[in-house]
Amino acid sequence: MSSPEGLRALFIYYRVSQTRTAEALHAVITMQEALMQRWPGLQARLWRRTDEVASPAVEQTWMEVYEHPAGVDVLFEQMLAEQVHMLPPGLIGPRHVESFVPMGWSPAVLGQPPSTSKG
């Protein structure tokens, strides 16, 4: 599952109708459990946006997060797309896929000059 970009992770967000949250929750969690069994070491999480007012007329924004110690590669993305295609039509809104890699920690990343040690 090694990725040429390093420890690449996927963040996928979409909208879910308030009237279908229970059905969507079951379907997405079942899909994520199957993916984790197929890709040992995969971490799959499901998040919900917290700043939206809950009412039957409002959709919720959900985010799936996929991480792996070796990074998430294109092969995994293809398999994920196949799994998503098997979800009931209209269960979730259009998916927006974004990928990120960690920047690591260093003084330069934080905009701080490197420390000089005097000994």
Side-chain angles (χ1 to χ4, degrees):
M1 184 169 243
S2 179
S3 169
E5 295 94 5
L7 300 179
R8 184 172 172 260
L10 295 181
F11 298 82
I12 304 163
Y13 60 96
Y14 49 87
R15 311 276 293 169
V16 176
S17 169
Q18 287 281 61
T19 60
R20 299 193 77 183
T21 56
E23 180 185 2
L25 180 64
H26 175 72
V28 172
I29 296 249
T30 300
M31 177 185 74
Q32 288 184 323
E33 288 173 347
L35 290 166
M36 287 187 290
Q37 286 182 350
R38 196 161 169 193
W39 291 94
L42 178 70
Q43 295 177 5
R45 296 185 306 258
L46 181 61
W47 298 30
R48 179 182 55 85
R49 189 171 175 164
T50 61
D51 61 350
E52 296 173 328
V53 178
S55 86
V58 176
E59 296 177 322
Q60 294 181 359
T61 302
W62 289 9
M63 181 183 299
E64 296 168 30
V65 180
Y66 297 96
E67 296 178 287
H68 190 276
V72 177
D73 62 14
V74 175
L75 181 61
F76 173 79
E77 274 192 84
Q78 292 170 347
M79 187 184 62
L80 176 60
E82 291 170 6
Q83 294 292 315
V84 169
H85 187 66
M86 293 190 297
L87 293 174
L91 182 62
I92 62 174
R95 295 166 61 85
H96 305 278
V97 180
E98 298 186 10
S99 64
F100 290 82
V101 294
M103 292 174 58
W105 184 90
S106 74
V109 169
L110 299 176
Q112 301 172 0
S115 65
T116 55
S117 59
K118 297 181 181 181

Coordinates of all heavy atoms in Angstrom, one line a residue, residues 11-104:
F11 N -9.1 12.2 2.7 CA -10.2 12.9 3.5 C -11.3 13.1 2.5 O -11.2 13.8 1.5 CB -9.7 14.2 4.0 CG -8.6 14.0 5.0 CD1 -7.3 13.9 4.6 CD2 -8.9 14.0 6.4 CE1 -6.2 13.7 5.5 CE2 -7.8 13.8 7.3 CZ -6.5 13.7 6.8
I12 N -12.5 12.4 2.7 CA -13.6 12.4 1.7 C -14.8 12.9 2.4 O -15.3 12.3 3.4 CB -13.8 11.0 1.2 CG1 -12.5 10.4 0.6 CG2 -15.0 11.0 0.2 CD1 -12.5 8.9 0.5
Y13 N -15.4 14.0 1.9 CA -16.5 14.6 2.6 C -17.7 14.6 1.6 O -17.6 14.7 0.4 CB -16.3 16.0 3.2 CG -15.8 17.0 2.2 CD1 -16.7 17.9 1.7 CD2 -14.5 17.2 1.8 CE1 -16.4 18.9 0.8 CE2 -14.1 18.1 1.0 CZ -15.0 19.0 0.4 OH -14.6 20.0 -0.4
Y14 N -18.9 14.6 2.2 CA -20.2 14.6 1.5 C -21.3 14.9 2.4 O -21.2 14.9 3.6 CB -20.4 13.2 0.8 CG -20.2 12.0 1.7 CD1 -21.2 11.5 2.5 CD2 -18.9 11.4 1.8 CE1 -21.0 10.5 3.3 CE2 -18.7 10.4 2.7 CZ -19.8 9.9 3.4 OH -19.6 8.8 4.3
R15 N -22.5 15.1 1.8 CA -23.7 15.4 2.6 C -24.6 14.2 2.7 O -24.6 13.4 1.8 CB -24.4 16.6 1.9 CG -23.6 17.8 1.6 CD -23.4 18.7 2.6 NE -24.6 19.4 3.0 CZ -24.7 20.2 4.1 NH1 -23.7 20.4 4.8 NH2 -25.8 20.7 4.4
V16 N -25.3 14.1 3.8 CA -26.2 13.0 4.0 C -27.5 13.6 4.5 O -27.5 14.4 5.5 CB -25.7 12.0 5.1 CG1 -26.7 10.9 5.4 CG2 -24.4 11.4 4.6
S17 N -28.6 13.2 4.0 CA -29.9 13.7 4.4 C -30.2 13.2 5.8 O -29.9 12.1 6.2 CB -31.0 13.2 3.5 OG -32.3 13.4 4.0
Q18 N -30.8 14.1 6.6 CA -31.1 13.8 8.0 C -32.0 12.6 8.1 O -32.0 11.8 9.0 CB -31.8 15.0 8.7 CG -30.9 16.1 9.0 CD -30.1 15.9 10.3 OE1 -29.3 14.9 10.4 NE2 -30.3 16.7 11.3
T19 N -32.9 12.4 7.0 CA -33.8 11.3 7.0 C -33.2 9.9 6.7 O -33.8 8.9 6.9 CB -35.0 11.5 6.0 OG1 -34.4 11.7 4.7 CG2 -35.7 12.8 6.4
R20 N -31.9 10.0 6.3 CA -31.2 8.7 5.9 C -29.9 8.5 6.7 O -29.1 7.6 6.3 CB -30.9 8.7 4.4 CG -32.2 8.8 3.6 CD -31.9 8.6 2.1 NE -31.8 7.1 1.9 CZ -31.5 6.6 0.7 NH1 -31.4 7.4 -0.3 NH2 -31.4 5.3 0.6
T21 N -29.8 9.2 7.8 CA -28.5 9.1 8.6 C -28.3 7.7 9.1 O -27.2 7.1 9.1 CB -28.4 10.1 9.7 OG1 -29.5 10.0 10.6 CG2 -28.3 11.5 9.2
A22 N -29.3 7.0 9.7 CA -29.2 5.7 10.2 C -28.8 4.7 9.1 O -27.9 3.9 9.3 CB -30.5 5.2 10.9
E23 N -29.4 4.8 8.0 CA -29.1 3.9 6.9 C -27.7 4.1 6.4 O -26.9 3.2 6.1 CB -30.2 4.1 5.8 CG -30.0 3.2 4.6 CD -30.9 3.5 3.4 OE1 -31.8 4.5 3.6 OE2 -30.8 2.8 2.4
A24 N -27.4 5.4 6.2 CA -26.0 5.8 5.7 C -24.9 5.3 6.7 O -23.9 4.8 6.3 CB -26.0 7.3 5.4
L25 N -25.2 5.6 8.0 CA -24.2 5.2 9.0 C -23.9 3.7 8.9 O -22.8 3.3 8.9 CB -24.7 5.6 10.4 CG -23.8 5.2 11.6 CD1 -22.5 6.0 11.4 CD2 -24.5 5.6 12.9
H26 N -25.0 2.9 8.9 CA -24.8 1.4 8.8 C -24.0 1.0 7.5 O -23.1 0.2 7.6 CB -26.1 0.7 8.8 CG -26.0 -0.8 8.6 ND1 -25.5 -1.6 9.6 CD2 -26.3 -1.5 7.6 CE1 -25.5 -2.8 9.2 NE2 -26.0 -2.8 7.9
A27 N -24.4 1.6 6.4 CA -23.7 1.3 5.1 C -22.3 1.7 5.1 O -21.4 0.9 4.7 CB -24.5 1.9 4.0
V28 N -22.0 2.9 5.6 CA -20.6 3.4 5.5 C -19.7 2.6 6.5 O -18.6 2.2 6.1 CB -20.5 4.9 5.7 CG1 -19.1 5.4 5.9 CG2 -21.2 5.6 4.6
I29 N -20.2 2.4 7.7 CA -19.4 1.6 8.7 C -19.1 0.2 8.2 O -18.0 -0.3 8.3 CB -20.1 1.6 10.0 CG1 -20.2 3.0 10.5 CG2 -19.4 0.7 11.0 CD1 -19.4 3.4 11.7
T30 N -20.1 -0.4 7.6 CA -20.0 -1.8 7.1 C -18.9 -1.8 6.0 O -18.1 -2.7 5.9 CB -21.3 -2.3 6.5 OG1 -22.3 -2.4 7.6 CG2 -21.2 -3.7 5.9
M31 N -19.0 -0.8 5.1 CA -18.0 -0.6 4.0 C -16.6 -0.5 4.6 O -15.6 -1.1 4.2 CB -18.3 0.6 3.1 CG -17.3 0.8 2.0 SD -17.7 2.3 1.1 CE -17.2 3.6 2.2
Q32 N -16.5 0.4 5.6 CA -15.1 0.7 6.2 C -14.6 -0.6 6.9 O -13.4 -0.9 6.8 CB -15.2 1.8 7.2 CG -15.4 3.2 6.5 CD -15.3 4.3 7.4 OE1 -15.9 4.3 8.5 NE2 -14.7 5.4 7.0
E33 N -15.4 -1.3 7.6 CA -15.0 -2.6 8.2 C -14.5 -3.6 7.2 O -13.4 -4.2 7.4 CB -16.1 -3.2 9.0 CG -16.4 -2.4 10.3 CD -17.7 -2.9 11.0 OE1 -18.4 -3.7 10.5 OE2 -17.8 -2.5 12.2
A34 N -15.1 -3.7 6.0 CA -14.7 -4.6 5.0 C -13.4 -4.1 4.4 O -12.5 -4.9 4.2 CB -15.8 -4.6 3.9
L35 N -13.2 -2.8 4.2 CA -11.9 -2.3 3.7 C -10.8 -2.5 4.7 O -9.7 -2.9 4.3 CB -12.0 -0.8 3.5 CG -12.9 -0.4 2.3 CD1 -13.2 1.1 2.4 CD2 -12.3 -0.7 1.0
M36 N -11.0 -2.4 6.0 CA -10.0 -2.6 7.0 C -9.6 -4.1 7.1 O -8.4 -4.4 7.3 CB -10.4 -2.1 8.4 CG -10.4 -0.6 8.5 SD -10.7 0.1 10.1 CE -12.5 -0.3 10.3
Q37 N -10.5 -5.0 6.8 CA -10.2 -6.4 6.8 C -9.4 -6.7 5.6 O -8.5 -7.6 5.6 CB -11.5 -7.3 6.8 CG -12.2 -7.3 8.1 CD -13.4 -8.2 8.1 OE1 -13.9 -8.6 7.1 NE2 -14.0 -8.5 9.3
R38 N -9.7 -6.1 4.5 CA -8.9 -6.4 3.2 C -7.5 -5.7 3.2 O -6.7 -6.2 2.5 CB -9.8 -5.8 2.0 CG -9.4 -6.4 0.7 CD -10.5 -6.2 -0.3 NE -9.9 -6.5 -1.6 CZ -10.5 -6.2 -2.7 NH1 -11.7 -5.6 -2.7 NH2 -10.0 -6.5 -3.9
W39 N -7.4 -4.6 3.9 CA -6.1 -3.9 3.9 C -5.6 -3.8 5.3 O -5.9 -2.9 6.1 CB -6.2 -2.5 3.4 CG -6.5 -2.4 1.9 CD1 -7.7 -2.3 1.3 CD2 -5.6 -2.4 0.8 NE1 -7.6 -2.3 0.0 CE2 -6.3 -2.3 -0.4 CE3 -4.2 -2.4 0.8 CZ2 -5.6 -2.3 -1.6 CZ3 -3.5 -2.4 -0.4 CH2 -4.3 -2.3 -1.6
P40 N -4.9 -4.8 5.8 CA -4.3 -4.8 7.2 C -3.6 -3.6 7.5 O -2.8 -3.1 6.7 CB -3.4 -6.1 7.2 CG -4.0 -7.0 6.2 CD -4.4 -6.1 5.1
G41 N -3.8 -3.0 8.6 CA -3.2 -1.7 9.0 C -3.9 -0.5 8.7 O -3.6 0.6 9.2
L42 N -5.0 -0.6 7.8 CA -5.8 0.5 7.4 C -6.5 1.1 8.6 O -7.2 0.3 9.3 CB -6.7 0.2 6.3 CG -7.7 1.3 5.8 CD1 -6.9 2.4 5.0 CD2 -8.8 0.7 4.9
Q43 N -6.5 2.4 8.8 CA -7.4 3.1 9.8 C -8.4 3.8 9.0 O -8.1 4.6 8.1 CB -6.6 4.0 10.6 CG -5.5 3.4 11.5 CD -4.7 4.4 12.2 OE1 -5.0 5.6 12.2 NE2 -3.7 3.9 12.9
A44 N -9.7 3.5 9.3 CA -10.8 4.1 8.6 C -11.7 4.8 9.7 O -12.1 4.1 10.6 CB -11.6 3.1 7.8
R45 N -12.0 6.0 9.5 CA -12.8 6.7 10.5 C -13.9 7.5 9.8 O -13.8 7.8 8.6 CB -11.9 7.7 11.3 CG -10.9 7.0 12.1 CD -10.1 8.0 13.0 NE -9.6 9.1 12.3 CZ -8.3 9.3 11.9 NH1 -7.5 8.4 12.3 NH2 -7.9 10.3 11.3
L46 N -15.0 7.7 10.5 CA -16.1 8.5 10.0 C -16.4 9.6 10.9 O -16.6 9.4 12.1 CB -17.3 7.6 9.8 CG -18.6 8.2 9.3 CD1 -18.3 8.7 7.8 CD2 -19.7 7.2 9.3
W47 N -16.4 10.8 10.4 CA -16.6 12.0 11.2 C -17.9 12.8 10.8 O -18.2 12.6 9.6 CB -15.4 12.9 11.1 CG -14.1 12.4 11.6 CD1 -13.7 11.1 11.6 CD2 -13.0 13.1 12.2 NE1 -12.4 11.0 12.1 CE2 -12.0 12.2 12.5 CE3 -12.8 14.5 12.4 CZ2 -10.8 12.6 13.0 CZ3 -11.6 14.8 13.0 CH2 -10.6 13.9 13.3
R48 N -18.4 13.5 11.6 CA -19.6 14.4 11.3 C -19.3 15.8 11.7 O -18.7 16.1 12.7 CB -20.8 13.9 12.1 CG -22.1 14.8 11.8 CD -23.3 14.3 12.6 NE -23.0 14.2 14.0 CZ -23.1 15.3 14.9 NH1 -23.5 16.5 14.4 NH2 -22.9 15.2 16.1
R49 N -19.6 16.7 10.8 CA -19.4 18.1 11.1 C -20.2 18.6 12.3 O -21.4 18.2 12.4 CB -19.8 19.0 9.9 CG -19.4 20.4 9.9 CD -19.6 21.1 8.6 NE -19.3 22.5 8.8 CZ -19.1 23.3 7.7 NH1 -19.1 22.8 6.5 NH2 -18.8 24.5 7.9
T50 N -19.6 19.4 13.2 CA -20.3 19.7 14.4 C -21.0 21.1 14.4 O -21.8 21.3 15.3 CB -19.2 19.8 15.6 OG1 -18.3 20.8 15.3 CG2 -18.6 18.4 15.8
D51 N -20.7 21.9 13.4 CA -21.3 23.3 13.5 C -22.6 23.4 12.7 O -23.0 24.5 12.3 CB -20.3 24.3 13.1 CG -19.8 24.1 11.6 OD1 -20.1 23.0 11.0 OD2 -19.1 25.0 11.1
E52 N -23.2 22.3 12.3 CA -24.5 22.3 11.6 C -25.7 22.1 12.5 O -25.6 21.2 13.4 CB -24.5 21.3 10.5 CG -23.4 21.5 9.5 CD -23.3 20.4 8.5 OE1 -23.5 19.2 8.8 OE2 -23.0 20.7 7.3
V53 N -26.7 22.9 12.4 CA -27.9 22.7 13.2 C -28.7 21.5 12.7 O -28.9 21.3 11.5 CB -28.8 24.0 13.0 CG1 -30.1 23.8 13.9 CG2 -28.0 25.2 13.5
A54 N -29.0 20.6 13.6 CA -29.8 19.4 13.3 C -31.3 19.7 13.1 O -31.9 20.2 14.1 CB -29.5 18.4 14.3
S55 N -31.8 19.4 12.0 CA -33.2 19.5 11.7 C -33.5 18.6 10.6 O -32.6 18.3 9.8 CB -33.7 20.9 11.5 OG -33.5 21.2 10.1
P56 N -34.8 18.1 10.4 CA -35.1 17.2 9.3 C -34.8 17.8 7.9 O -34.6 17.1 7.0 CB -36.5 16.8 9.5 CG -36.8 17.1 11.0 CD -35.9 18.2 11.4
A57 N -34.8 19.1 7.8 CA -34.7 19.7 6.5 C -33.2 20.0 6.2 O -32.9 20.4 5.1 CB -35.4 21.1 6.5
V58 N -32.3 19.7 7.1 CA -30.9 20.0 6.9 C -30.1 18.7 6.7 O -30.4 17.8 7.4 CB -30.3 20.8 8.1 CG1 -28.9 21.1 7.9 CG2 -31.1 22.2 8.2
E59 N -29.2 18.8 5.8 CA -28.3 17.6 5.6 C -27.1 17.8 6.6 O -26.8 18.9 7.0 CB -27.8 17.6 4.2 CG -28.8 17.4 3.1 CD -28.3 17.5 1.7 OE1 -27.4 18.3 1.5 OE2 -28.7 16.7 0.9
Q60 N -26.5 16.6 6.9 CA -25.3 16.6 7.7 C -24.1 16.5 6.7 O -24.2 15.9 5.7 CB -25.3 15.4 8.6 CG -26.3 15.5 9.7 CD -26.2 14.3 10.6 OE1 -25.4 13.4 10.5 NE2 -27.1 14.2 11.6
T61 N -23.0 17.0 7.1 CA -21.7 16.8 6.4 C -20.9 15.7 7.1 O -20.7 15.9 8.3 CB -20.9 18.1 6.3 OG1 -21.7 19.1 5.7 CG2 -19.6 17.9 5.5
W62 N -20.6 14.7 6.4 CA -19.8 13.6 6.9 C -18.4 13.6 6.2 O -18.3 14.0 5.1 CB -20.5 12.3 6.7 CG -21.7 12.1 7.5 CD1 -22.3 13.0 8.3 CD2 -22.4 10.8 7.7 NE1 -23.4 12.4 8.9 CE2 -23.5 11.1 8.5 CE3 -22.3 9.6 7.1 CZ2 -24.4 10.1 8.8 CZ3 -23.2 8.6 7.4 CH2 -24.2 8.8 8.3
M63 N -17.4 13.0 6.9 CA -16.1 12.9 6.4 C -15.6 11.5 6.7 O -15.5 11.1 7.9 CB -15.1 14.0 6.9 CG -13.7 13.8 6.2 SD -12.5 15.0 6.8 CE -13.2 16.5 6.4
E64 N -15.1 10.8 5.7 CA -14.4 9.6 5.9 C -12.9 9.9 5.8 O -12.5 10.7 5.0 CB -14.7 8.6 4.7 CG -16.2 8.1 4.7 CD -16.5 7.4 3.4 OE1 -15.6 6.7 2.8 OE2 -17.6 7.5 3.0
V65 N -12.2 9.3 6.7 CA -10.7 9.5 6.8 C -10.1 8.1 6.6 O -10.4 7.2 7.4 CB -10.3 10.1 8.1 CG1 -8.8 10.3 8.1 CG2 -11.0 11.5 8.3
Y66 N -9.1 8.0 5.7 CA -8.4 6.7 5.5 C -6.9 7.0 5.6 O -6.3 7.8 4.9 CB -8.7 6.1 4.1 CG -10.2 5.8 4.0 CD1 -11.1 6.7 3.4 CD2 -10.6 4.6 4.5 CE1 -12.4 6.3 3.3 CE2 -12.0 4.2 4.4 CZ -12.9 5.1 3.8 OH -14.2 4.8 3.7
E67 N -6.3 6.2 6.5 CA -4.8 6.3 6.7 C -4.2 4.9 6.8 O -4.9 4.0 7.3 CB -4.5 7.1 8.0 CG -5.0 8.6 8.0 CD -4.7 9.3 9.3 OE1 -5.4 9.0 10.3 OE2 -3.8 10.1 9.3
H68 N -3.0 4.8 6.5 CA -2.3 3.5 6.6 C -0.8 3.8 6.9 O -0.3 4.9 6.4 CB -2.4 2.8 5.2 CG -1.9 1.4 5.3 ND1 -0.5 1.0 5.2 CD2 -2.5 0.2 5.5 CE1 -0.4 -0.3 5.3 NE2 -1.6 -0.8 5.5
P69 N -0.2 3.0 7.7 CA 1.2 3.3 8.1 C 2.1 3.5 6.9 O 3.1 4.2 6.9 CB 1.7 2.0 8.9 CG 0.4 1.5 9.5 CD -0.7 1.8 8.4
A70 N 1.8 2.8 5.7 CA 2.6 3.0 4.5 C 2.1 4.0 3.5 O 2.6 4.2 2.4 CB 2.8 1.6 3.8
G71 N 1.0 4.7 3.9 CA 0.3 5.6 3.1 C -0.8 4.9 2.3 O -0.9 3.7 2.2
V72 N -1.7 5.7 1.7 CA -2.8 5.2 1.0 C -2.5 5.5 -0.5 O -2.2 6.6 -0.9 CB -4.1 6.0 1.4 CG1 -5.3 5.5 0.5 CG2 -4.4 5.7 2.8
D73 N -2.6 4.4 -1.3 CA -2.2 4.5 -2.7 C -3.4 4.5 -3.7 O -4.5 4.4 -3.2 CB -1.2 3.4 -3.1 CG -1.7 2.0 -2.9 OD1 -3.0 1.9 -2.8 OD2 -1.0 1.1 -3.0
V74 N -3.1 4.6 -4.9 CA -4.1 4.7 -6.0 C -4.9 3.4 -6.1 O -6.1 3.4 -6.3 CB -3.4 5.0 -7.4 CG1 -4.5 5.0 -8.5 CG2 -2.8 6.4 -7.3
L75 N -4.2 2.2 -5.8 CA -4.9 1.0 -5.8 C -6.0 0.9 -4.8 O -7.1 0.5 -5.0 CB -3.9 -0.2 -5.6 CG -4.5 -1.6 -5.6 CD1 -5.1 -1.9 -7.0 CD2 -3.4 -2.6 -5.3
F76 N -5.7 1.5 -3.6 CA -6.7 1.5 -2.5 C -7.9 2.5 -3.0 O -9.0 2.1 -2.8 CB -6.1 2.0 -1.2 CG -7.2 2.3 -0.2 CD1 -7.8 1.2 0.5 CD2 -7.7 3.6 0.0 CE1 -8.8 1.4 1.4 CE2 -8.7 3.8 1.0 CZ -9.2 2.7 1.7
E77 N -7.5 3.6 -3.6 CA -8.6 4.5 -4.0 C -9.5 3.8 -5.0 O -10.7 4.1 -5.0 CB -7.9 5.8 -4.7 CG -7.6 6.8 -3.7 CD -7.3 8.1 -4.4 OE1 -8.2 8.9 -4.7 OE2 -6.1 8.4 -4.6
Q78 N -8.9 3.0 -5.9 CA -9.8 2.3 -6.9 C -10.7 1.3 -6.2 O -11.9 1.2 -6.5 CB -8.9 1.6 -7.9 CG -8.1 2.5 -8.8 CD -7.1 1.8 -9.7 OE1 -6.7 0.7 -9.4 NE2 -6.6 2.5 -10.6
M79 N -10.2 0.6 -5.2 CA -11.0 -0.3 -4.5 C -12.1 0.4 -3.7 O -13.2 -0.1 -3.6 CB -10.1 -1.2 -3.5 CG -10.9 -2.3 -2.9 SD -10.0 -3.2 -1.7 CE -9.6 -1.9 -0.5
L80 N -11.7 1.5 -3.1 CA -12.7 2.3 -2.4 C -13.8 2.8 -3.3 O -15.0 2.7 -2.9 CB -12.0 3.5 -1.7 CG -12.9 4.5 -1.0 CD1 -13.7 3.8 0.2 CD2 -12.1 5.7 -0.4
A81 N -13.5 3.2 -4.5 CA -14.5 3.7 -5.4 C -15.4 2.5 -5.8 O -16.6 2.8 -5.9 CB -13.8 4.2 -6.7
E82 N -14.9 1.3 -6.0 CA -15.8 0.2 -6.2 C -16.7 -0.1 -5.1 O -17.9 -0.4 -5.3 CB -14.9 -1.1 -6.5 CG -14.1 -1.0 -7.8 CD -13.1 -2.1 -7.8 OE1 -13.0 -3.0 -7.0 OE2 -12.2 -2.1 -8.8
Q83 N -16.2 0.0 -3.9 CA -17.1 -0.2 -2.7 C -18.2 0.9 -2.6 O -19.3 0.6 -2.3 CB -16.3 -0.2 -1.4 CG -15.3 -1.3 -1.3 CD -16.0 -2.7 -1.1 OE1 -17.0 -2.8 -0.3 NE2 -15.6 -3.7 -1.9
V84 N -17.8 2.1 -2.9 CA -18.8 3.2 -2.8 C -19.9 3.0 -3.9 O -21.0 3.3 -3.7 CB -18.1 4.6 -3.0 CG1 -19.1 5.7 -3.2 CG2 -17.2 4.9 -1.8
H85 N -19.5 2.5 -5.0 CA -20.4 2.3 -6.1 C -21.5 1.3 -5.7 O -22.6 1.3 -6.3 CB -19.6 1.9 -7.4 CG -20.5 1.7 -8.6 ND1 -21.1 2.8 -9.2 CD2 -20.9 0.7 -9.3 CE1 -21.8 2.4 -10.2 NE2 -21.7 1.1 -10.3
M86 N -21.2 0.5 -4.8 CA -22.2 -0.5 -4.4 C -23.1 0.0 -3.3 O -24.1 -0.7 -2.9 CB -21.4 -1.8 -3.8 CG -20.7 -2.5 -5.0 SD -20.0 -4.1 -4.5 CE -18.9 -3.7 -3.2
L87 N -22.9 1.2 -2.8 CA -23.9 1.8 -1.9 C -25.2 2.1 -2.6 O -25.2 2.4 -3.8 CB -23.3 3.1 -1.3 CG -22.1 3.0 -0.4 CD1 -21.6 4.4 0.0 CD2 -22.4 2.1 0.9
P88 N -26.3 2.1 -1.8 CA -27.6 2.4 -2.5 C -27.6 3.8 -3.1 O -27.0 4.7 -2.6 CB -28.6 2.3 -1.3 CG -27.9 1.5 -0.3 CD -26.5 1.7 -0.4
P89 N -28.1 3.9 -4.3 CA -28.1 5.2 -5.0 C -28.8 6.2 -4.2 O -29.9 6.0 -3.6 CB -28.9 4.9 -6.3 CG -28.9 3.4 -6.5 CD -28.7 2.8 -5.1
G90 N -28.2 7.4 -4.2 CA -28.8 8.5 -3.4 C -28.6 8.5 -1.9 O -29.1 9.4 -1.2
L91 N -28.0 7.5 -1.4 CA -27.8 7.4 0.0 C -26.9 8.5 0.6 O -27.2 9.1 1.6 CB -27.2 6.0 0.4 CG -27.0 5.8 1.9 CD1 -28.4 5.8 2.6 CD2 -26.3 4.5 2.1
I92 N -25.9 8.9 -0.2 CA -25.0 10.0 0.2 C -24.9 10.9 -1.0 O -25.1 10.5 -2.1 CB -23.6 9.5 0.7 CG1 -22.9 8.7 -0.4 CG2 -23.7 8.6 1.9 CD1 -21.5 8.3 -0.1
G93 N -24.5 12.1 -0.7 CA -24.3 13.1 -1.8 C -23.0 12.9 -2.5 O -22.2 11.9 -2.2
P94 N -22.7 13.7 -3.5 CA -21.4 13.6 -4.2 C -20.2 13.7 -3.2 O -20.2 14.5 -2.3 CB -21.4 14.9 -5.1 CG -22.9 15.3 -5.2 CD -23.5 14.9 -3.9
R95 N -19.3 12.8 -3.5 CA -18.1 12.7 -2.7 C -17.0 13.6 -3.2 O -16.7 13.7 -4.4 CB -17.6 11.3 -2.6 CG -18.6 10.3 -2.0 CD -18.3 8.9 -2.3 NE -17.0 8.4 -1.8 CZ -16.8 8.0 -0.5 NH1 -17.8 8.0 0.3 NH2 -15.6 7.6 -0.2
H96 N -16.4 14.3 -2.2 CA -15.3 15.2 -2.5 C -14.0 14.6 -1.9 O -13.9 14.6 -0.7 CB -15.5 16.6 -2.0 CG -16.8 17.2 -2.5 ND1 -17.0 17.8 -3.7 CD2 -18.1 17.2 -1.9 CE1 -18.2 18.2 -3.9 NE2 -18.9 17.8 -2.8
V97 N -13.1 14.2 -2.7 CA -11.9 13.5 -2.3 C -10.7 14.4 -2.2 O -10.4 15.1 -3.2 CB -11.6 12.2 -3.2 CG1 -10.4 11.5 -2.7 CG2 -12.8 11.3 -3.2
E98 N -10.1 14.5 -1.1 CA -8.8 15.2 -1.0 C -7.8 14.4 -0.3 O -8.1 13.5 0.5 CB -9.1 16.5 -0.1 CG -10.1 17.4 -0.7 CD -10.2 18.7 0.0 OE1 -9.4 19.0 0.9 OE2 -11.2 19.5 -0.3
S99 N -6.5 14.5 -0.7 CA -5.5 13.7 -0.1 C -4.4 14.7 0.4 O -4.2 15.8 -0.1 CB -4.8 12.8 -1.2 OG -4.2 13.5 -2.2
F100 N -3.8 14.3 1.5 CA -2.9 15.1 2.2 C -1.7 14.2 2.7 O -1.9 13.0 2.9 CB -3.5 15.7 3.5 CG -4.5 16.8 3.2 CD1 -5.8 16.5 2.9 CD2 -4.1 18.1 3.3 CE1 -6.7 17.5 2.7 CE2 -5.0 19.1 3.1 CZ -6.3 18.8 2.8
V101 N -0.5 14.8 2.8 CA 0.6 14.1 3.4 C 1.1 15.0 4.6 O 0.9 16.2 4.6 CB 1.8 13.9 2.4 CG1 1.4 13.0 1.2 CG2 2.2 15.3 1.8
P102 N 1.6 14.3 5.6 CA 2.1 15.1 6.8 C 3.3 15.9 6.4 O 4.1 15.5 5.6 CB 2.5 14.0 7.8 CG 2.7 12.8 7.0 CD 1.9 12.9 5.7
M103 N 3.4 17.1 7.0 CA 4.5 18.0 6.7 C 5.6 17.6 7.7 O 6.8 18.0 7.5 CB 4.1 19.4 6.9 CG 3.1 19.9 5.8 SD 2.5 21.5 6.1 CE 3.9 22.5 6.1
G104 N 5.3 16.9 8.8 CA 6.4 16.7 9.8 C 6.5 17.9 10.7 O 6.0 18.9 10.4

